[in-house]
Coordinates of all heavy atoms in Angstrom, one line a residue:
M1 N 6.1 -7.7 -6.0 CA 5.0 -6.9 -5.4 C 5.3 -6.9 -3.9 O 5.5 -8.0 -3.3 CB 3.6 -7.5 -5.6 CG 2.4 -6.7 -4.9 SD 1.9 -5.1 -5.8 CE 1.2 -5.8 -7.2
A2 N 5.3 -5.7 -3.3 CA 5.6 -5.7 -1.8 C 4.4 -6.3 -1.1 O 3.2 -6.4 -1.7 CB 5.8 -4.3 -1.4
R3 N 4.6 -6.7 0.2 CA 3.3 -7.2 0.8 C 3.4 -6.8 2.4 O 4.4 -6.5 2.8 CB 3.3 -8.7 0.6 CG 4.5 -9.3 1.0 CD 4.4 -10.8 0.4 NE 5.7 -11.4 0.8 CZ 5.9 -12.5 1.5 NH1 4.8 -13.1 1.9 NH2 7.1 -12.9 1.7
E4 N 2.3 -7.0 2.8 CA 2.0 -6.7 4.2 C 1.9 -8.0 4.9 O 1.1 -8.8 4.6 CB 0.8 -5.9 4.5 CG 0.3 -5.5 5.8 CD -0.9 -4.8 5.9 OE1 -1.6 -4.6 5.0 OE2 -1.2 -4.4 7.1
I5 N 2.9 -8.3 5.8 CA 3.0 -9.5 6.4 C 2.5 -9.2 7.9 O 2.7 -8.4 8.5 CB 4.5 -10.0 6.6 CG1 5.3 -9.9 5.4 CG2 4.6 -11.4 7.3 CD1 6.8 -10.0 5.6
L6 N 1.5 -10.1 8.3 CA 0.8 -10.0 9.6 C 0.2 -8.6 9.5 O -0.2 -8.1 8.4 CB 1.7 -10.0 10.7 CG 2.5 -11.4 10.8 CD1 3.6 -11.3 12.0 CD2 1.7 -12.4 11.0
F7 N 0.0 -7.9 10.6 CA -0.6 -6.7 10.6 C 0.3 -5.5 10.8 O 0.2 -4.3 10.6 CB -1.7 -6.5 11.7 CG -2.7 -7.6 11.6 CD1 -2.7 -8.7 12.4 CD2 -3.6 -7.4 10.6 CE1 -3.7 -9.6 12.2 CE2 -4.5 -8.4 10.4 CZ -4.7 -9.6 11.3
S8 N 1.6 -5.8 11.1 CA 2.6 -4.8 11.4 C 3.9 -5.0 10.8 O 4.9 -4.1 11.0 CB 2.7 -4.7 13.1 OG 3.1 -6.1 13.4
D9 N 4.1 -6.0 9.9 CA 5.3 -6.0 9.2 C 5.1 -5.8 7.7 O 4.1 -6.4 7.2 CB 6.0 -7.4 9.4 CG 6.4 -7.7 10.8 OD1 6.3 -6.8 11.7 OD2 6.9 -8.8 11.1
F10 N 6.0 -5.3 7.1 CA 6.0 -5.0 5.6 C 7.2 -5.3 5.0 O 8.3 -5.0 5.5 CB 5.6 -3.5 5.5 CG 4.3 -3.0 6.1 CD1 4.3 -2.6 7.5 CD2 3.2 -3.1 5.3 CE1 3.2 -2.2 8.1 CE2 2.1 -2.6 6.0 CZ 1.9 -2.2 7.4
E11 N 6.9 -6.1 3.8 CA 8.2 -6.5 3.1 C 8.3 -5.8 1.8 O 7.3 -5.7 1.1 CB 8.2 -7.9 2.9 CG 9.4 -8.5 2.4 CD 9.3 -10.0 2.0 OE1 9.5 -10.8 2.8 OE2 9.1 -10.2 0.8
C12 N 9.3 -5.1 1.6 CA 9.5 -4.4 0.4 C 10.0 -5.2 -0.8 O 10.6 -6.3 -0.5 CB 10.5 -3.2 0.6 SG 10.7 -2.2 -0.8
D13 N 9.9 -4.7 -2.1 CA 10.4 -5.5 -3.2 C 12.0 -5.7 -3.1 O 12.4 -6.7 -3.7 CB 10.1 -4.8 -4.4 CG 8.6 -5.3 -5.0 OD1 8.1 -6.1 -4.2 OD2 8.3 -4.8 -6.0
C14 N 12.5 -4.7 -2.4 CA 14.0 -4.8 -2.4 C 14.5 -5.9 -1.3 O 15.7 -6.1 -1.2 CB 14.6 -3.4 -2.0 SG 14.3 -3.0 -0.4
G15 N 13.6 -6.4 -0.5 CA 14.0 -7.3 0.4 C 14.0 -6.9 1.8 O 14.2 -7.6 2.8
H16 N 13.9 -5.5 1.9 CA 13.8 -5.0 3.3 C 12.5 -5.2 4.0 O 11.5 -5.2 3.4 CB 14.0 -3.4 3.0 CG 14.1 -2.6 4.3 ND1 15.2 -2.3 5.0 CD2 13.0 -2.1 5.1 CE1 14.9 -1.6 6.1 NE2 13.5 -1.5 6.1
C17 N 12.7 -5.4 5.2 CA 11.5 -5.8 6.0 C 11.4 -4.7 7.2 O 12.3 -4.5 7.8 CB 11.7 -7.2 6.6 SG 10.1 -7.8 7.2
S18 N 10.2 -4.0 7.0 CA 9.9 -3.0 8.2 C 9.0 -3.7 9.2 O 7.8 -4.1 8.8 CB 9.3 -1.8 7.6 OG 10.0 -1.3 6.6
S19 N 9.4 -3.5 10.5 CA 8.6 -4.2 11.5 C 8.1 -2.9 12.4 O 8.9 -2.1 12.8 CB 9.3 -5.1 12.3 OG 9.6 -6.2 11.5
F20 N 6.8 -2.9 12.8 CA 6.3 -1.9 13.6 C 5.5 -2.6 14.8 O 5.1 -3.8 14.6 CB 5.3 -0.9 12.9 CG 6.0 -0.2 11.8 CD1 5.9 -0.8 10.5 CD2 6.9 0.8 11.9 CE1 6.5 -0.2 9.4 CE2 7.5 1.5 10.9 CZ 7.4 1.0 9.6
C21 N 5.3 -1.9 15.8 CA 4.3 -2.4 16.8 C 2.9 -2.4 16.2 O 2.6 -1.6 15.4 CB 4.2 -1.5 18.0 SG 5.8 -1.3 18.8
E22 N 2.1 -3.4 16.6 CA 0.8 -3.5 16.0 C 0.1 -2.3 16.3 O -0.8 -1.8 15.5 CB 0.1 -4.7 16.6 CG -0.5 -5.6 15.5 CD -1.1 -6.8 16.1 OE1 -0.3 -7.7 16.5 OE2 -2.4 -6.9 16.3
G23 N 0.3 -1.7 17.5 CA -0.5 -0.5 18.0 C -0.2 0.7 17.0 O -1.2 1.4 16.7
T24 N 1.0 0.8 16.7 CA 1.5 1.9 15.8 C 0.8 1.9 14.5 O 0.3 2.8 14.0 CB 3.0 1.8 15.5 OG1 3.6 1.6 16.9 CG2 3.5 3.1 14.9
V25 N 0.8 0.6 13.9 CA 0.2 0.5 12.6 C -1.4 0.8 12.7 O -1.9 1.4 11.9 CB 0.4 -1.0 12.1 CG1 -0.4 -1.2 10.8 CG2 1.9 -1.1 11.8
K26 N -1.9 0.2 13.8 CA -3.4 0.5 14.0 C -3.7 2.0 14.0 O -4.6 2.4 13.5 CB -3.9 -0.2 15.2 CG -5.3 -0.8 15.2 CD -5.7 -1.4 16.4 CE -7.0 -1.2 16.8 NZ -7.4 -1.4 18.1
E27 N -2.9 2.6 14.7 CA -3.1 4.1 14.9 C -3.0 4.8 13.5 O -3.8 5.7 13.2 CB -2.0 4.6 15.8 CG -2.6 5.4 17.1 CD -1.3 5.7 18.0 OE1 -0.5 6.6 17.7 OE2 -1.4 5.2 19.1
C28 N -2.0 4.5 12.8 CA -1.7 5.1 11.5 C -3.0 4.8 10.6 O -3.4 5.6 9.8 CB -0.5 4.5 10.9 SG 1.0 5.1 11.5
K29 N -3.4 3.6 10.7 CA -4.6 3.2 9.8 C -5.8 4.1 10.3 O -6.5 4.6 9.3 CB -4.9 1.8 10.0 CG -3.9 0.8 9.3 CD -4.3 -0.5 9.3 CE -3.4 -1.4 8.4 NZ -3.7 -2.9 8.4
E30 N -6.0 4.3 11.5 CA -7.1 5.0 12.0 C -6.9 6.6 11.5 O -7.8 7.2 11.0 CB -7.3 5.0 13.5 CG -8.0 3.8 13.9 CD -7.9 3.5 15.4 OE1 -7.5 4.3 16.1 OE2 -8.1 2.3 15.8
Q31 N -5.7 7.0 11.7 CA -5.4 8.5 11.3 C -5.6 8.6 9.8 O -6.0 9.8 9.3 CB -4.1 8.9 11.7 CG -3.9 9.2 13.2 CD -2.4 9.5 13.5 OE1 -1.6 9.7 12.6 NE2 -2.1 9.4 14.7
S32 N -5.3 7.6 9.0 CA -5.3 7.7 7.6 C -6.6 7.8 7.0 O -6.8 8.0 5.8 CB -4.5 6.7 6.9 OG -5.2 5.3 7.0
M33 N -7.6 7.5 7.9 CA -9.0 7.6 7.5 C -9.2 9.2 7.0 O -10.1 9.4 6.3 CB -10.1 7.2 8.6 CG -9.9 5.8 9.0 SD -10.2 4.6 7.6 CE -12.1 4.5 7.6
K34 N -8.6 10.1 7.7 CA -8.8 11.5 7.4 C -7.8 12.0 6.5 O -8.0 12.7 5.5 CB -8.7 12.3 8.8 CG -9.9 11.9 9.7 CD -9.6 12.7 10.9 CE -10.7 12.1 12.0 NZ -10.1 12.3 13.4
L35 N -6.5 11.6 6.8 CA -5.4 12.2 6.0 C -4.5 11.1 5.8 O -4.3 10.2 6.7 CB -4.6 13.3 6.9 CG -5.3 14.6 7.0 CD1 -4.5 15.5 8.1 CD2 -5.2 15.4 5.7
P36 N -3.8 11.1 4.5 CA -2.8 10.1 4.3 C -1.6 10.2 5.4 O -1.2 11.3 5.8 CB -2.2 10.6 3.0 CG -3.2 11.3 2.4 CD -3.9 12.0 3.4
V37 N -1.1 9.1 5.8 CA -0.1 9.0 6.8 C 1.1 8.3 6.5 O 0.9 7.2 5.6 CB -0.6 8.3 8.1 CG1 0.5 8.1 9.2 CG2 -1.9 8.9 8.7
S38 N 2.3 8.7 6.6 CA 3.4 7.8 6.2 C 4.2 7.6 7.5 O 4.4 8.4 8.4 CB 4.3 8.4 5.2 OG 4.7 9.6 5.6
L39 N 4.6 6.3 7.6 CA 5.2 5.7 8.8 C 6.6 5.3 8.6 O 6.7 4.4 7.6 CB 4.4 4.7 9.5 CG 4.9 3.9 10.6 CD1 5.1 4.8 11.7 CD2 4.0 2.8 10.8
G40 N 7.6 5.9 9.1 CA 9.1 5.5 8.8 C 9.5 4.5 9.7 O 9.1 4.5 11.0
D41 N 10.3 3.6 9.3 CA 10.9 2.4 10.2 C 12.0 2.9 10.8 O 12.6 2.1 11.7 CB 10.9 1.2 9.5 CG 12.0 1.2 8.4 OD1 12.8 2.2 8.2 OD2 12.1 0.3 7.6
S42 N 12.7 4.1 10.7 CA 13.8 4.6 11.4 C 15.0 3.7 11.2 O 15.9 3.7 12.1 CB 13.5 4.7 12.9 OG 12.3 5.4 13.1
E43 N 15.1 2.9 10.2 CA 16.3 2.1 10.1 C 17.3 2.8 9.2 O 16.9 4.0 8.6 CB 15.9 0.8 9.4 CG 15.3 -0.2 10.6 CD 14.9 -1.6 10.1 OE1 15.6 -2.1 9.3 OE2 13.9 -1.9 10.5
K44 N 18.4 2.2 8.9 CA 19.4 2.9 8.1 C 18.9 3.2 6.8 O 19.0 4.4 6.3 CB 20.6 2.0 8.0 CG 21.9 2.8 7.8 CD 23.3 1.8 8.1 CE 23.2 0.9 6.8 NZ 24.3 0.0 7.0
D45 N 18.5 2.3 6.0 CA 17.8 2.6 4.7 C 16.3 2.7 4.9 O 15.5 1.8 4.7 CB 18.1 1.6 3.7 CG 17.8 0.2 4.2 OD1 17.7 -0.1 5.5 OD2 17.8 -0.8 3.4
E46 N 15.9 3.9 5.5 CA 14.6 4.1 5.9 C 13.5 3.8 4.8 O 13.5 4.4 3.8 CB 14.5 5.5 6.7 CG 13.0 5.6 7.2 CD 13.1 6.8 8.4 OE1 13.9 7.6 8.1 OE2 12.3 6.7 9.4
H47 N 12.6 3.1 5.2 CA 11.4 2.9 4.4 C 10.2 3.5 5.0 O 10.0 3.6 6.3 CB 11.1 1.4 4.2 CG 12.0 0.7 3.2 ND1 13.3 0.6 3.4 CD2 11.6 0.0 2.0 CE1 13.9 0.0 2.2 NE2 12.9 -0.4 1.5
F48 N 9.3 4.0 4.3 CA 8.1 4.7 4.8 C 6.8 4.0 4.3 O 6.9 3.6 3.0 CB 7.9 6.0 4.3 CG 8.9 7.1 5.0 CD1 10.1 7.2 4.5 CD2 8.5 7.8 6.2 CE1 11.0 8.1 5.1 CE2 9.4 8.5 6.8 CZ 10.7 8.7 6.3
I49 N 5.9 3.6 5.1 CA 4.8 2.9 4.8 C 3.7 4.0 4.7 O 3.5 4.8 5.5 CB 4.3 1.9 5.9 CG1 5.5 1.1 6.4 CG2 3.2 1.0 5.4 CD1 6.2 0.2 5.2
V50 N 3.0 4.0 3.5 CA 2.1 5.1 3.4 C 0.7 4.3 3.5 O 0.3 3.5 3.0 CB 2.2 5.6 2.0 CG1 1.1 6.7 1.7 CG2 3.6 6.1 1.6
F51 N -0.1 5.1 4.5 CA -1.5 4.7 4.7 C -2.4 5.6 4.1 O -2.3 6.8 4.2 CB -1.8 4.6 6.2 CG -0.8 3.6 6.9 CD1 0.5 3.9 7.4 CD2 -1.2 2.2 7.1 CE1 1.2 3.1 8.0 CE2 -0.4 1.4 7.8 CZ 0.9 1.7 8.2
R52 N -3.4 5.1 3.6 CA -4.5 5.9 3.2 C -5.9 5.3 3.3 O -6.0 4.0 3.0 CB -4.3 6.2 1.6 CG -4.9 7.6 1.2 CD -4.5 7.9 -0.2 NE -3.1 8.4 -0.2 CZ -2.5 8.7 -1.3 NH1 -3.0 8.4 -2.5 NH2 -1.1 9.0 -1.2
R53 N -6.9 6.0 3.7 CA -8.3 5.4 3.9 C -8.1 4.2 4.8 O -8.8 3.1 4.3 CB -8.9 5.1 2.6 CG -9.2 6.5 1.9 CD -10.1 6.4 0.7 NE -10.1 7.6 0.0 CZ -10.2 7.7 -1.2 NH1 -10.4 6.5 -2.0 NH2 -10.3 8.9 -1.9
G54 N -7.4 4.1 5.9 CA -7.5 3.1 6.7 C -6.7 1.9 6.4 O -6.8 0.8 7.0
R55 N -5.8 2.1 5.3 CA -5.0 0.9 5.1 C -3.7 1.2 4.5 O -3.4 2.3 3.9 CB -5.7 -0.2 4.2 CG -6.0 0.2 2.8 CD -6.8 -0.7 2.2 NE -6.9 -0.4 0.8 CZ -7.6 -1.3 -0.1 NH1 -8.2 -2.3 0.4 NH2 -7.6 -1.0 -1.3
A56 N -2.7 0.3 4.4 CA -1.4 0.6 3.9 C -1.5 0.4 2.5 O -2.0 -0.7 2.0 CB -0.4 -0.4 4.6
I57 N -1.1 1.3 1.8 CA -1.2 1.2 0.2 C 0.1 1.1 -0.4 O 0.2 0.5 -1.5 CB -1.9 2.4 -0.4 CG1 -1.4 3.8 0.0 CG2 -3.4 2.4 0.0 CD1 -1.6 4.8 -1.0
E58 N 1.2 1.7 0.2 CA 2.5 1.5 -0.6 C 3.6 1.7 0.4 O 3.5 2.3 1.5 CB 2.5 2.6 -1.8 CG 2.6 4.0 -1.3 CD 2.6 4.9 -2.5 OE1 2.1 4.5 -3.6 OE2 3.2 6.0 -2.3
I59 N 4.8 1.3 -0.1 CA 6.0 1.5 0.7 C 7.0 2.4 -0.2 O 7.1 2.3 -1.4 CB 6.8 0.1 0.8 CG1 6.0 -0.9 1.6 CG2 8.1 0.5 1.5 CD1 6.6 -2.1 1.8
E60 N 7.4 3.5 0.6 CA 8.3 4.4 -0.1 C 9.7 3.8 0.1 O 10.2 3.8 1.2 CB 8.2 5.8 0.5 CG 7.1 6.6 0.2 CD 6.9 7.0 -1.3 OE1 8.1 7.1 -1.9 OE2 5.9 7.4 -1.7
C61 N 10.3 3.3 -0.9 CA 11.6 2.6 -0.8 C 12.8 3.7 -1.3 O 12.5 4.2 -2.2 CB 11.6 1.4 -1.6 SG 13.3 0.6 -1.7
P62 N 13.9 3.7 -0.5 CA 14.9 4.6 -0.9 C 15.6 4.1 -2.2 O 16.2 4.9 -2.9 CB 15.9 4.5 0.3 CG 15.7 3.3 1.1 CD 14.1 3.0 0.9
E63 N 15.5 2.9 -2.5 CA 16.0 2.3 -3.8 C 15.1 2.2 -4.9 O 15.3 2.7 -6.0 CB 16.5 0.9 -3.5 CG 17.7 0.5 -3.7 CD 18.2 -0.9 -3.4 OE1 18.5 -1.2 -2.2 OE2 18.1 -1.8 -4.2
L64 N 13.8 1.8 -4.7 CA 12.9 1.6 -5.7 C 11.8 2.6 -5.8 O 11.0 2.4 -6.8 CB 12.2 0.2 -5.5 CG 13.1 -1.0 -5.2 CD1 12.3 -2.3 -4.9 CD2 13.8 -1.4 -6.6
G65 N 11.8 3.5 -5.0 CA 10.7 4.5 -5.0 C 9.6 3.9 -4.4 O 9.6 3.3 -3.5
S66 N 8.3 4.4 -4.9 CA 7.1 3.8 -4.3 C 6.7 2.6 -4.8 O 6.6 2.4 -6.0 CB 6.0 4.9 -4.3 OG 5.8 5.3 -5.6
V67 N 6.6 1.6 -3.8 CA 6.2 0.3 -4.3 C 4.8 0.0 -3.9 O 4.6 0.0 -2.5 CB 7.1 -0.7 -3.6 CG1 6.8 -2.1 -3.9 CG2 8.6 -0.4 -4.0
P68 N 3.8 -0.3 -4.7 CA 2.4 -0.6 -4.2 C 2.4 -1.8 -3.4 O 3.0 -2.8 -3.7 CB 1.6 -0.7 -5.5 CG 2.6 -0.9 -6.5 CD 4.0 -0.4 -6.1
L69 N 1.6 -1.7 -2.4 CA 1.2 -2.9 -1.6 C 0.2 -3.8 -2.2 O -0.8 -3.3 -2.9 CB 0.9 -2.6 -0.1 CG 2.1 -2.2 0.8 CD1 1.6 -1.3 1.9 CD2 2.8 -3.5 1.2
D70 N 0.2 -5.1 -1.8 CA -0.8 -6.0 -2.2 C -2.2 -5.5 -2.2 O -3.0 -5.6 -3.2 CB -0.8 -7.2 -1.5 CG 0.0 -8.3 -2.1 OD1 0.5 -8.1 -3.2 OD2 0.5 -9.3 -1.4
A71 N -2.6 -4.9 -1.1 CA -3.9 -4.4 -0.8 C -4.4 -3.5 -1.8 O -5.6 -3.4 -2.2 CB -4.0 -3.8 0.5
A72 N -3.4 -2.6 -2.4 CA -3.7 -1.7 -3.4 C -4.0 -2.3 -4.7 O -4.8 -1.7 -5.7 CB -2.6 -0.6 -3.5
A73 N -3.8 -3.5 -4.9 CA -3.9 -4.2 -6.2 C -5.5 -4.6 -6.3 O -5.9 -5.1 -7.2 CB -3.1 -5.4 -6.3
E74 N -6.2 -4.5 -5.0 CA -7.5 -5.0 -5.0 C -8.6 -3.9 -5.7 O -9.7 -4.1 -5.7 CB -8.1 -5.1 -3.6 CG -7.5 -6.3 -3.0 CD -7.7 -6.1 -1.5 OE1 -8.6 -5.4 -1.1 OE2 -7.0 -6.9 -0.7
K75 N -8.0 -2.9 -6.2 CA -8.9 -1.9 -6.8 C -9.8 -2.6 -7.9 O -9.3 -3.4 -8.7 CB -8.2 -0.7 -7.3 CG -6.8 -0.6 -7.4 CD -6.4 0.6 -8.1 CE -4.9 0.6 -8.1 NZ -4.2 1.7 -8.7
P76 N -11.0 -2.0 -8.0 CA -11.8 -2.7 -9.0 C -11.4 -2.6 -10.2 O -10.9 -1.6 -10.8 CB -13.2 -1.8 -8.8 CG -12.9 -0.6 -8.0 CD -11.5 -1.0 -7.2
K77 N -11.3 -3.7 -11.0 CA -10.8 -3.7 -12.3 C -11.8 -3.1 -13.3 O -13.1 -3.3 -13.0 CB -10.5 -5.2 -12.8 CG -9.4 -5.7 -12.1 CD -9.1 -7.2 -12.4 CE -8.1 -7.8 -11.5 NZ -8.3 -9.3 -11.4
H78 N -11.3 -2.4 -14.2 CA -12.2 -2.0 -15.2 C -12.8 -3.1 -16.0 O -12.0 -3.9 -16.6 CB -11.6 -1.1 -16.2 CG -11.2 0.3 -15.5 ND1 -12.0 1.2 -15.2 CD2 -9.9 0.7 -15.1 CE1 -11.3 2.2 -14.6 NE2 -10.0 1.9 -14.5
R79 N -14.1 -3.1 -16.1 CA -14.7 -4.2 -16.9 C -14.6 -3.7 -18.3 O -14.6 -2.6 -18.7 CB -16.3 -4.2 -16.6 CG -16.4 -5.0 -15.2 CD -17.6 -5.7 -15.2 NE -17.8 -6.1 -13.8 CZ -19.0 -6.1 -13.2 NH1 -20.1 -5.6 -13.8 NH2 -19.1 -6.6 -11.9
T80 N -14.3 -4.7 -19.0 CA -14.2 -4.5 -20.5 C -15.5 -4.1 -21.1 O -16.4 -5.0 -20.9 CB -13.7 -5.7 -21.3 OG1 -13.3 -6.7 -20.5 CG2 -12.3 -5.3 -22.1
R81 N -15.7 -2.9 -21.5 CA -17.0 -2.6 -22.1 C -17.1 -3.1 -23.4 O -16.2 -3.4 -24.1 CB -17.0 -0.9 -22.1 CG -17.3 -0.4 -20.9 CD -18.3 0.8 -20.9 NE -18.5 1.4 -19.7 CZ -18.4 2.8 -19.6 NH1 -18.3 3.6 -20.7 NH2 -18.5 3.4 -18.4
R82 N -18.3 -3.3 -23.8 CA -18.6 -3.8 -25.1 C -17.9 -2.9 -26.1 O -18.1 -1.7 -25.9 CB -20.3 -3.8 -25.3 CG -20.5 -5.2 -25.9 CD -21.9 -5.4 -25.6 NE -22.7 -4.2 -25.8 CZ -23.7 -4.2 -26.7 NH1 -23.9 -5.2 -27.6 NH2 -24.4 -3.1 -26.8
A83 N -17.2 -3.5 -27.0 CA -16.5 -2.7 -28.0 C -17.8 -2.0 -28.9 O -18.8 -2.4 -28.8 CB -15.7 -3.5 -28.9
K84 N -17.2 -0.9 -29.5 CA -18.2 -0.3 -30.2 C -19.0 -1.1 -31.3 O -18.5 -2.2 -31.7 CB -17.5 0.8 -31.4 CG -17.1 2.1 -30.4 CD -16.6 3.0 -31.5 CE -15.8 4.2 -30.7 NZ -14.9 4.9 -31.6
D85 N -20.2 -0.8 -31.5 CA -21.0 -1.6 -32.3 C -20.3 -1.6 -33.7 O -20.2 -0.6 -34.3 CB -22.4 -0.9 -32.4 CG -23.4 -2.0 -32.9 OD1 -23.0 -2.8 -33.7 OD2 -24.6 -1.9 -32.6
P86 N -20.0 -2.9 -34.1 CA -19.4 -3.1 -35.4 C -20.2 -2.7 -36.7 O -19.6 -2.7 -37.7 CB -18.9 -4.4 -35.4 CG -19.8 -5.2 -34.5 CD -20.4 -4.1 -33.6
R87 N -21.5 -2.4 -36.4 CA -22.3 -2.0 -37.5 C -21.8 -0.8 -38.3 O -21.2 0.0 -37.6 CB -23.7 -1.8 -37.1 CG -24.7 -3.1 -36.9 CD -25.9 -2.6 -36.6 NE -26.0 -1.7 -35.5 CZ -27.2 -1.3 -34.9 NH1 -28.3 -1.7 -35.3 NH2 -27.0 -0.6 -33.9
V88 N -21.9 -0.9 -39.5 CA -21.4 0.2 -40.3 C -22.6 0.9 -40.9 O -23.5 0.3 -41.4 CB -20.5 -0.1 -41.5 CG1 -19.9 1.1 -42.1 CG2 -19.3 -1.0 -40.9
Ligands
LIG1 ZN1 12.9 -1.3 -0.3

């Protein structure tokens, strides 16, 4: 699972680490409240961090495709509903 290190560094599953200025990340988070934003790290194997609703949700990896970030794993789990009443 990819992860967000500190507030401005992101580590991809492939081992690539994207570092940004904290201000840049903050700006993207703010912008993403309205529209999804992707932020490229401008490196050789460029990775894009995708922000949505004020937070980083995934990394677009040139090798692995989209890798969800830890924070995205926080979505509410579906509670197991009671199975159908077994009465016949
Ligand atoms: Zn990667």
Side-chain angles (χ1 to χ4, degrees):
M1 179 79 73
R3 53 197 176 118
E4 181 177 3
I5 313 164
L6 304 176
F7 301 105
S8 51
D9 289 1
F10 299 87
E11 188 189 275
C12 179
D13 275 0
C14 73
H16 180 95
C17 197
S18 307
S19 303
F20 304 96
C21 298
E22 228 179 284
T24 311
V25 171
K26 212 179 143 200
E27 235 171 71
C28 286
K29 284 185 174 172
E30 275 164 22
Q31 281 175 23
S32 72
M33 295 302 275
K34 293 175 197 155
L35 284 170
V37 177
S38 55
L39 174 65
D41 61 12
S42 319
E43 283 179 42
K44 206 171 64 183
D45 47 346
E46 191 165 24
H47 280 61
F48 289 88
I49 314 302
V50 182
F51 297 88
R52 205 171 289 172
R53 292 187 191 152
R55 65 185 195 183
I57 55 151
E58 63 182 28
I59 298 180
E60 290 285 343
C61 175
E63 228 178 282
L64 306 171
S66 53
V67 182
L69 278 160
D70 267 352
E74 285 169 20
K75 2 176 183 176
K77 282 175 197 156
H78 290 285
R79 285 205 189 142
T80 357
R81 286 219 185 138
R82 228 155 42 115
K84 276 183 196 163
D85 196 332
R87 275 185 307 187
V88 180

